[in-house]
Structure formats: structure tokens, C-alpha cells
Amino acid sequence: MNEFTRAHFPASIRDRHPRIGLVLGSGLGGFVSRIKIEETVAFADLEGLPVSTVPGHEGRFVFGSIGGIEIVIAQGRVHLYEGWSAREVAAGIRAMAALGIEKLILTNAAGIINEGFRPGQWMQIADHLNFTGQSPLTGGPHFIDQTQVYSRSLRQLFHDQADELGIPLPAGVYAWMPGPQYETPAEIRMLRTLGADAVGMSTVPEAIQARALGIEVAGFSCLTNFGAGMTPDALSHEEVIETGQQAAETLARLLEASFLND
Ligand code: HPA
């Protein structure tokens, strides 16, 4: 079920054994300036990896370390709305799995559904709702358990660390919508009724794929804007990117401290 092996990576990468994978969402690419970059590989240079066309998504793996632990960062990702299948969208996760990652941290930019949340805050993903009807596991493996997609022990670790650093980190349910358009106010009300706290267009296929490969998953949503209809304003991609850039530093502090203390 994993078409990737170490042999897909350039020779300079094949001896690397990152323990943690991190996927950076819209506007969060600046996170890599916080780590010591040792090596990079463009997605375009790895056979079988789809390449994104969306502004704000760079499209490369960055190798380095954080809190003294080897990490591989996917800077940029592809989305269903670009025309890729859920299986293609999750290809980067299978590539990172081929390098042996044990833990995967997924990040995204998301709209607020829960009226108690504020733009600029991070939400830790406790669970998800899949509104796309798509799965990266179509064709197999079948019947993978989803009781705990987002690791309880990682959630506890990040929750405790955020508390210690004074970083607000509410937990909530992330709804995966297909996009590419933002939601209507009626859709935001529907999602709230159905139990969502935040909404976005990514992350869920990667989380499902990682669990199927036995990788421990954590997810963070950068709450960039109120959902449609929650304020009189229209939504803009620029606003999403700008808020993400400001919040990237907060997440870097949290992850650094968490892995130092782990
Ligand atoms: N909806 C969907 N995806 C998003 C949003 C939103 O409001 N904000 C950032 N990504």
C-alpha cells in the first residue's frame, strides 16, 4: 500500500531517519525559519508526488531538527480542489512514512465555526468530520479503525505544554470540506449544528492515511477567520495567509518546547 521507499529520495537523504513529520498549511511556511535547515528536496524532484499550484504552498521537504529531534517538514501540500484524488493528496504522507516517521503533526488554516474561538488562535484537532465523500484508502486497506485518529497522548502533551507557555489552545472538531470556494453562511450554520468547531479543505486525508500506516497523529488548525456569515465581512485568501504568518511563530514555540520536554 506504500509505493514509496527510501530509494525514491536523492542519495543525500537516504541515510536520514526523521522521527517526526510536519505538514505546514497555508501561510505557515515561515515556520521553517525557526529550524536549522540541513537539506531540502522539491516535491517535483520525487517521482510520484503531486505538486501544488496554490500561492502560499511552496512544495518541498525540509530536513532539520527541532528540540534536538530529527524532523522532516512538508512545506506545502496539495488539495482535492486542485483536481487530485484523496489518495494523491496523501502521497506526501506515504513518502514521509517511507523514511520511518513515528509521529506526524498536521497543520492547516481554518475558518471558525465555534463562536467561542477568535482569529489568530490555534485549535488542537480532537476529531474530524469528512464532508467530501473521499478517502485516501479507497482501493484498500479497508476498515481501518478511526476511534482515535488524533493521538490522545500527543494531545495531552501539547495541551499541557500550551498551558505552561500561556498559549490558548482550545480543542475541537475539524470539518473537511472539498472547496475550492469558501462556505456559505447556511453551510457554516449546518456545520455548527453537526458538531464542527472549525472548517477547512485539507488535513483529514493525511490523518486517515497516517493512521492506516500506524503513525501517531496530531493536528493543529490556525483559526484565520470567522466562518462566512459570522461577521458582516467577506472572506479573503490574503487575510487567511496573513493571520497564518503571525500565528506560525506561536506554533513553533509550542512544538519546540514540547519535543524538548518529551
Ligand atoms: N473555510 C474553509 N477553509 C478555510 C477557511 C474557511 O473559512 N479559512 C481558512 N481555510
Side-chain angles (χ1 to χ4, degrees):
M1 70 163 283
N2 193 347
E3 70 278 32
F4 292 96
T5 64
R6 285 188 172 274
H8 280 76
F9 286 84
S12 57
I13 303 296
R14 281 178 216 153
D15 288 338
R16 290 192 168 272
H17 294 270
R19 286 170 48 201
I20 298 170
L22 170 65
V23 178
L24 294 176
S26 297
L28 301 171
F31 181 95
V32 300
S33 64
R34 297 278 305 215
I35 71 155
K36 196 168 140 268
I37 298 179
E38 290 159 7
E39 205 124 27
T40 64
V41 180
F43 293 164
D45 292 338
L46 283 183
E47 202 188 320
L49 267 198
V51 176
S52 174
T53 52
V54 180
H57 287 265
E58 283 234 28
R60 61 177 187 165
F61 285 121
V62 175
F63 293 84
S65 55
I66 184 164
I69 298 179
E70 260 200 78
I71 188 168
V72 51
I73 300 178
Q75 194 176 9
R77 55 152 65 91
V78 296
H79 302 82
L80 225 52
Y81 60 72
E82 296 170 70
W84 307 102
S85 69
R87 188 168 175 81
E88 286 168 328
V89 164
I93 306 305
R94 294 191 296 279
M96 290 195 278
L99 295 175
I101 61 164
E102 297 155 10
K103 296 180 172 124
L104 177 69
I105 298 161
L106 297 166
T107 67
N108 60 48
I112 293 173
I113 306 259
N114 183 322
E115 288 162 315
F117 295 171
R118 290 291 169 269
Q121 282 183 341
W122 284 93
M123 178 189 90
Q124 184 157 207
I125 303 176
D127 203 348
H128 69 230
L129 293 163
N130 180 352
F131 285 100
T132 70
Q134 307 294 313
S135 168
L137 308 184
T138 297
H142 299 142
F143 314 126
I144 299 292
D145 177 61
Q146 301 283 279
T147 308
Q148 200 186 129
V149 176
Y150 304 90
S151 156
R152 201 169 292 148
S153 61
L154 283 181
R155 280 175 51 202
Q156 189 68 48
L157 168 73
F158 292 126
H159 173 270
D160 292 348
Q161 196 62 58
D163 245 12
E164 205 158 296
L165 296 174
I167 297 171
L169 187 63
V173 173
Y174 174 87
W176 181 30
M177 291 285 274
Q181 72 284 356
Y182 289 123
E183 299 70 34
T184 63
E187 285 166 341
I188 294 294
R189 291 193 299 273
M190 170 193 78
L191 292 171
R192 187 177 299 124
T193 301
L194 296 178
D197 295 295
V199 57
M201 306 172 196
S202 68
T203 303
V204 169
E206 293 135 305
I208 294 171
Q209 177 66 81
R211 285 307 299 136
L213 292 164
I215 295 166
E216 214 181 340
V217 176
F220 295 93
S221 289
C222 178
L223 304 170
T224 54
N225 56 279
F226 284 108
M230 291 177 72
T231 70
D233 308 326
L235 270 56
S236 84
H237 184 59
E238 289 68 34
E239 177 194 0
V240 167
I241 299 287
E242 207 176 292
T243 310
Q245 282 164 352
Q246 288 164 15
E249 174 133 350
T250 308
L251 184 73
R253 276 200 297 137
L254 176 65
L255 295 186
E256 252 165 45
S258 302
F259 291 123
L260 277 173
N261 290 345
D262 193 16

